[in-house]
Amino acid sequence: MSKILIVDDEMQIRTLLARMMELEGYEVCQAGDCRAALRQLELQSPDVALCDVFLPDGNGVDLVLAIKKAAPNVEVILLTAHGNIPDGVQAIKNGAFDYITKGDDNNKIIPLVSRAVEKAAMNARLEKLEKKVGQAYSFDPILGESKSLKDAVSLAQKVSVTDVPVLLTGETGTGKEVFAQAIHYSSKRARQNFVAVNCSSFSKELLESEMFGHKAGSFTGALKDKKGLFEEANNGTIFLDEIGEMAFELQAKLLRILETGEYIKIGDTKPTRVNVRIIAATNRNLPEEIAKGRFREDLFYRLSVFQVHLPPLRERAGDIRLLAKAFVKNFSVQLARSITEITPEFLTTLELQPWKGNIRELRNVIERSLIVCEGEQLTIADLPLDIQNAHYEQSDEETPGSFELSAMERRHIARVLEYTKGNKTEAARLLKIGLTTLYRKVEEYKI
C-alpha cells in the first residue's frame, strides 16, 4: 500500500486531505510544519508528499529541496492558496512533481497523486536496478587472492573516483573489460552510459563512422545522420578495447578528443563537443608499437596517465581453484545442472595448465565440462581431451614406468582420440585395431 505524507498547518485541511487519500486506498501520515514533515519522512518512508507552501517554520518550496535531499525517490506535490508563477517555477526546479492551487484544482488532486505514486514506484524500481547493476559490475565480483591481482584492483579503485584516462594492459582474456566496467560503475559517471568498442573488429573507415558518426550524404550509403559511439557515451565512459589495433590516422582524432573534448564527424564542418571519460585496453606492447611507427607517442602519453596491468592467470595459479568453483556455481544455475562435488584431481589438473587464454579460456573449459558431465560429480574425464592428455603425460613423466610399452601405448591412443575429437570408430580405423579392442584399452588405461 502506498503512503502519502500530508503537510499543512491547518488541521481541517489535513483531515480533509487525509480522508480523501484513505478513500482512495492510500495509507496516510501527517505533519503540521517543516520539522515534523522531515521527522515523518524518516519514520514513515512515504511515497508522495502533499505540502502546503506557507508553513509556520518555513516555505514549502524550500522544503522540496530538503525532502529530495533526504529521500530522492519521494515525489512532492505543492499546494498553495494563492497561485504564484515564480514559486511554481522554483518548486519544479527544486524537484517538485507538480504545483497546484487549492480550491481551483481540487479535482486534479486524486489523479495527480496517482501519477506521483506511479512515478515514485518507478523511481524505487530504477534505484533497485541501478544498485543491482552497480553490484554486478563493481570490484567485488573480481575473484582472486593473489597479490598481483589485489594490487591491480587497488590501483583501479583509486583511479575510479577521478576522471583521468586509464590504460589497462595485459594478455587477452585477463578481464580488462570487467575492470573497465568496475571503474565506470565506481565513478561519479555510474548513472551515465558505459559504451564499449573493440577497435580490432572494424576496418578503418567503419571504425571512424562507428566512433565519431557521420552526416547524411558524406559517403555512398550514408542516407541519414548517424550518432557516433562518443556521442552515445557523452557524460559517461567509453571503453576502447584493443586500442593498439586502431589505424594511425584515427589516433589523431582520438588525441584531439583527449586534448579538447571535440571532434569533427565525417562530412561535417562544425566540431562536436563531448564530455567522455576514456578507458583504453591493449594486449600489445605500445612502446614497441611506437618504435615501429604504428602508434602515436603523444596519444600513448595521454592515454596512459594512469596504467593498470592485469596479471595473466599462470602468474596467479592460486586463484584458479577459486575461479573454477565460482564458474561451476554460475553455470550450474544457467545450465540447470546439479553438481554436488568437484574431484580434487579435476581442480589439480586445472592448476597445472598454462592457460594461454587466461580467465576466458578457464571459463569456457568449465562450461564445456558441465555440459558433458553425466552425473553430479565433475571429474577429470569431463575435461577436454587435450587437458586430460597433458595431465596423464605429466603423470607418466613423473613415474619410473614412463618408458614402459603400456605407457607409450596409452599416450598414443590418447593423441589419436584427440585428433579424431573423441570419435572412437575413426580412432580404431587409424590405429588399425578393432573397435572392441579400443574400448577395452580406453577402459584399461582410463583415457
Side-chain angles (χ1 to χ4, degrees):
M1 183 185 295
S2 299
K3 187 178 292 186
I4 312 297
L5 168 62
I6 298 172
V7 187
D8 199 303
D9 59 328
E10 296 185 37
M11 175 65 76
Q12 288 181 330
I13 292 178
R14 287 208 313 269
T15 303
L16 175 62
L17 289 172
R19 183 60 180 157
M20 289 171 62
M21 295 301 110
E22 287 169 346
L23 288 172
E24 293 297 321
Y26 298 120
E27 189 177 343
V28 176
C29 54
Q30 302 180 32
D33 54 39
C34 296
R35 182 178 298 178
L38 293 174
R39 188 163 58 249
Q40 289 284 62
L41 190 72
E42 185 178 350
L43 295 173
Q44 300 291 338
S45 300
D47 302 288
V48 173
L50 276 172
C51 297
D52 190 18
V53 169
F54 299 105
L55 296 166
D57 59 347
N59 187 291
V61 176
D62 298 327
L63 181 60
V64 174
L65 272 179
I67 289 175
K68 282 294 185 179
K69 184 177 180 181
N73 291 339
V74 174
E75 294 300 331
V76 185
I77 299 171
L78 282 181
L79 306 172
T80 179
H82 308 286
N84 182 309
I85 292 176
D87 274 356
V89 171
Q90 189 59 49
I92 299 301
K93 285 183 177 179
N94 287 357
F97 182 77
D98 211 335
Y99 179 97
I100 61 175
T101 305
K102 294 178 183 176
D104 296 342
D105 295 328
N106 281 351
N107 59 331
K108 295 181 182 179
I109 291 178
I110 297 301
L112 194 59
V113 168
S114 178
R115 292 199 302 272
V117 166
E118 288 178 3
K119 188 165 186 287
M122 184 182 70
N123 292 341
R125 288 195 299 270
L126 184 59
E127 182 182 52
K128 186 176 180 180
L129 180 61
E130 287 178 342
K131 186 176 180 182
K132 187 175 180 180
V133 169
Q135 289 172 342
Y137 293 111
S138 69
F139 288 100
D140 294 337
I142 298 177
L143 298 176
E145 298 297 328
S146 62
K147 183 179 183 303
S148 57
L149 181 72
K150 285 187 172 182
D151 288 346
V153 169
S154 177
L155 283 173
Q157 285 174 324
K158 288 175 182 176
V159 76
S160 64
V161 296
T162 73
D163 229 8
V164 301
V166 180
L167 179 64
L168 302 172
T169 61
E171 297 176 6
T172 298
T174 49
K176 294 188 284 293
E177 184 165 351
V178 173
F179 265 73
Q181 289 172 332
I183 291 171
H184 169 72
Y185 286 103
S186 300
S187 74
K188 60 185 179 183
R189 297 176 182 262
R191 288 177 174 263
Q192 305 299 326
N193 284 346
F194 174 87
V195 177
V197 55
N198 190 315
C199 299
S200 66
S201 299
F202 303 92
S203 65
K204 170 189 170 295
E205 292 75 17
L206 190 54
L207 181 61
E208 182 175 12
S209 175
E210 287 293 317
M211 289 177 61
F212 306 114
H214 61 251
K215 300 293 287 183
S218 56
F219 56 85
T220 304
L223 302 178
K224 59 182 180 179
D225 290 356
K226 178 183 177 179
K227 287 176 67 174
L229 294 176
F230 270 93
E231 278 186 278
E232 295 288 347
N234 194 27
N235 297 317
T237 302
I238 191 164
F239 173 55
L240 303 176
D241 199 6
E242 304 300 348
I243 189 71
E245 308 289 337
M246 181 180 283
F248 197 84
E249 297 85 348
L250 294 186
Q251 294 173 25
K253 269 195 168 183
L254 181 57
L255 179 63
R256 183 178 180 185
I257 293 176
L258 283 161
E259 291 180 339
T260 67
E262 62 181 33
Y263 62 93
I264 297 178
K265 292 182 179 181
I266 301 171
D268 204 353
T269 56
K270 297 180 296 183
T272 299
R273 291 198 62 82
V274 288
N275 175 12
V276 176
R277 183 187 196 171
I278 296 176
I279 302 177
T282 183
N283 59 7
R284 291 194 175 196
N285 186 320
L286 291 187
E288 287 184 3
E289 296 297 301
I290 291 169
K292 294 174 182 176
R294 293 200 289 251
F295 202 84
R296 293 181 65 110
E297 188 172 19
D298 47 4
L299 177 59
F300 171 71
Y301 288 122
R302 288 307 302 265
L303 286 173
S304 61
V305 172
F306 200 96
Q307 284 193 50
V308 179
H309 179 71
L310 277 58
L313 194 53
R314 63 180 174 276
E315 291 181 8
R316 40 183 290 227
D319 293 337
I320 292 175
R321 193 171 290 246
L322 183 66
L323 288 164
K325 289 180 178 179
F327 288 144
V328 168
K329 183 178 179 181
N330 291 340
F331 285 123
S332 293
V333 174
Q334 290 182 29
L335 301 172
R337 297 299 310 274
S338 177
I339 301 298
T340 59
E341 184 182 354
I342 308 172
T343 63
E345 188 181 33
F346 181 93
L347 294 171
T348 301
T349 302
L350 295 180
E351 289 176 325
L352 295 175
Q353 296 306 302
W355 298 116
K356 294 178 181 179
N358 292 292
I359 299 171
R360 186 181 297 129
E361 183 186 0
L362 173 63
R363 181 181 182 277
N364 292 344
V365 165
I366 296 297
E367 182 177 19
R368 185 257 183 208
S369 297
L370 261 74
I371 290 171
V372 303
C373 180
E374 295 181 351
E376 297 183 348
Q377 181 188 64
L378 276 179
T379 70
I380 193 170
D382 299 315
L383 289 168
L385 282 172
D386 57 334
I387 294 180
Q388 291 185 46
N389 293 341
H391 165 77
Y392 286 124
E393 284 177 11
Q394 186 171 17
S395 300
D396 286 345
E397 290 169 4
E398 293 171 356
T399 62
S402 60
F403 293 109
E404 291 177 2
L405 186 60
S406 60
M408 296 175 68
E409 184 180 49
R410 190 193 62 74
R411 285 199 296 271
H412 184 60
I413 292 173
R415 287 194 183 98
V416 174
L417 282 169
E418 181 183 0
Y419 175 78
T420 63
K421 295 181 170 57
N423 186 325
K424 293 185 177 64
T425 302
E426 177 64 11
R429 187 186 69 78
L430 292 173
L431 290 165
K432 291 184 169 39
I433 60 175
L435 185 58
T436 304
T437 303
L438 177 59
Y439 271 102
R440 179 173 55 78
K441 289 185 178 293
V442 165
E443 180 66 27
E444 179 185 347
Y445 295 141
K446 293 183 171 55
I447 298 176

